[in-house]
Each structure stands twice: as structure tokens, then as C-alpha cells.
Amino acid sequence: MRQLVSWVASACVGFVRACVVMVVSMLVPAVWAAAVALWIWWGGGPWSWTAPFVWACIGTLALSRPVCRMVRSLVAKWTGTVIPAVYRQAGPVTQMSTGYWWNGYSYERTSRDARLDQRWRTRWRDPALRRDLRFTAIAPVTAGVVAAVPPAGAAAAIFGLFQPSPAMRVAGVLGAVVAVAGAPYAWRAVEPVAVRFLRPSPAMTLADRVDELTAQRADTTIAQAAEIRRIERDLHDGAQARLVALGLSLATAEKLMETDPDQAKALMREARAGATTSLTELRELVKGINPPVLNERGLIDAVRALALDSPLETAVSADVQLRMDPPIESALYFGVAELLTNAVKHAHATRARITIARDDTGIVVQVEDNGRGGADVRAGGGLAGLHRRLAVFDGTLEITSPAGGPTHARMMLPCASL
């Protein structure tokens, strides 16, 4: 009995899904059918087909991307198969010194005109447009036809069973059998069709990867320039100024050595204190660039040392000692430092837990705090910079931070040297 109920539920769900697939896949053919009907209604003159044909083309272009997005969403929801869209994204619009706006293709007088022109040019030149149009032409005669079997069987059953003719009633019974038997399976044809014709081609994937790497290179260049400016500023305002003062103190002490030895000794003591302070500042600067403990003892010990210096009550758990390439260790170390800083500064957390582990693909670092939550990746923020730093190594950053906390961050970097 339980199996019968389960099968009936599966048939009902399958029938609804088949109807949805049929409707979605037949949207574009319905536009062309309406265009043909309009042409027939106008009388079929020599040029009367022009307007319906133009409107059908416009409707096809307008519906192609929404139809493909609906199909991807349905496939992901029903089967768990995620099909990447890979659409080209419009770049920034820049105002030039002449007052015109450059959108990557042409100059326009206003920002609105530049963005509108850019949006249409980007979509028209996107290889995904041809892919979507191809799918809207193939889907109706493949997944759409298969999905239409249960609704067609149900329609035949309703029509035939209410007819007085025995032959029609037999046809109605057969239609009901076809509808019920095919309902759990008819909608499933949409998955292989969508995977085959909606997935990005190798050329599209490569182009998208090139764009991503170009953006990462620009971000890395900007970050390196900012880091160099920070180092120069710290050296100029800190250690350099103290070393200049140290030189002046030593020169004055040298002149006072014979005339006022006590004052010369005092200046020497001040110079020694200044030298100690300068050495401390230089060590802190070097630590901020590349912590010595990271080079000497690896990521896990460096993170443990960072946890000891943190004002949070931080627990660190890790697998056996891992040694990776220095750039990967540096990226993860400064990622943990950024997350702990955010936990103290923004989330007002009191405790944190750091977990370092490895799996089949790479290393996973998780940082969880008991703060107030609400963390998100904003443009120009520290988390956005951390995301860019990890993306250089094909890494990912996942943030789960509901209002009220806790905040859970997961960094993953593929690493073949584990």
C-alpha cells in the first residue's frame, strides 16, 4: 500500500513537472504560431508577413535568455544538476576628460546612453546568445515533445471517456494509461537536453577564464602598488625618521663629549633607546610583509602564534603538520588574520575557533566566531580583498553570517603538494 501511494505521488508530481516543461519549452514556438496566425488574419498579402516575422524575431530574442534561465533553474531544483550560465558581464563605464562616456565600444554623451549601448552590444556579441537560440529551437522537438505526452494522454482521456462511441472510450482509457504511466518519466528528458545544449562550450569557458584572470591580474597589481606605498609610508614616517634623529643625537653627543660629558651620555642613552625602537618597528614591518614564523615553521604554527597574539579566546585545531608552497601559506595566513581582525573590530566577538584540515582537493581553513554576525562581501572591503587573494590560486571563500551570529568562514585552496 505504501508503495502504491508513493507511486501515485510520483505520478502526480511528474505530471505537474511535465506540464511545466512543456509550457516553458513551447513559449518560443507559441510566439511563431501567433505570428503565423496574425499573418493569416491580415489576409496573406505579398508584404503582410513582414510585421509578424519581425515581431516573432523580437519575441524570440527577448524570450531566449529567460527560457534558458528557467530551464537551468528547474533542472537544478529537480535533479540537483547545476548548469553554469556563463554570460558576458558588462564592464565599467568611464567618463573621459572631454565629458563623453566610454563604454568599451563607443563614446556617448550621457552615462545612461553609454550603459544602454553597452548592454545591447555585450548581449549581441555574447556567444551565449547563439547557444540560447539553438536551445530554444531544439528543446520543443525534444524535451517539449516528450513532456507533452502525459498532458496529451490526459486530454485524450478526458475527451474520449465522455464520448458515447466505444472506440472513443477505449482510446480514452489508453490515453489515461499513457498519461499515468509516462508522468513520472516524461519530464526527465529535459535534463540531458539542457546539459547537452546549455552548458558553456570550451571556448566560452576559456574566454570567461581569461576575463577572470585579467581582472585578478589588475586586482593584484593594484594591491601590490598599495602595499608598496604602505611600506614606503611606514619606513618614511617611522624607522627613517628615528634613524635621522639617531644620527643627529650621535653627532651632538660627539661634539659634547669633551665639554659636557654628562649631556653627551644622556644623548647616547636616548640614541640607544631610539635604535631599539627603530629595530622593533622594522621587525613589525617585516612581520607584516612576511612573518618569519611562517617561513620557519609553516602555516599551522604561524596561525597558532597569531591566535596567541589575538585578543580573542582562540582555539586552533589542525591535522598533522602541513607544508605547502609559500604563496599559498601566505594567502591562508593573512586570510585568517583578516577574519580574526573582523571578528574583533566589527563583530565584537569574544571567542573564535580555527580549523585547518585537508581533503581530496586541497586545504580547507575554517574560522568561526561568536560575534553578532552580519558579515558580507562588499566591494572595496576586506572580505572582497580576501576573496580576490584566494581567487588568484583558484581558491574560494564562503561566508555564513546571519544577523546575531555566529559567523562561519570557509577558505579552500586547491593544493597538489599536500
Side-chain angles (χ1 to χ4, degrees), residues 133-211:
L133 292 176
R134 180 185 62 180
F135 178 79
T136 56
I138 293 174
V141 297
T142 52
V145 171
V146 176
V149 172
I158 294 173
F159 178 77
L161 291 175
F162 288 95
Q163 297 298 321
S165 172
M168 295 298 295
R169 290 185 178 182
V170 171
V173 172
L174 292 177
V177 171
V178 170
V180 174
Y185 313 103
W187 65 271
R188 299 182 184 275
V190 70
E191 181 186 5
V193 175
V195 171
R196 171 63 179 84
F197 294 102
L198 279 185
R199 64 183 177 184
S201 64
M204 295 169 62
T205 304
L206 179 61
D208 185 68
R209 182 59 175 162
V210 169
D211 293 340

Side-chain angles (χ1 to χ4, degrees), residues 329-342:
E329 290 187 334
S330 177
L332 291 173
Y333 174 84
F334 286 106
V336 172
E338 176 70 25
L339 293 171
L340 291 179
T341 301
N342 289 345

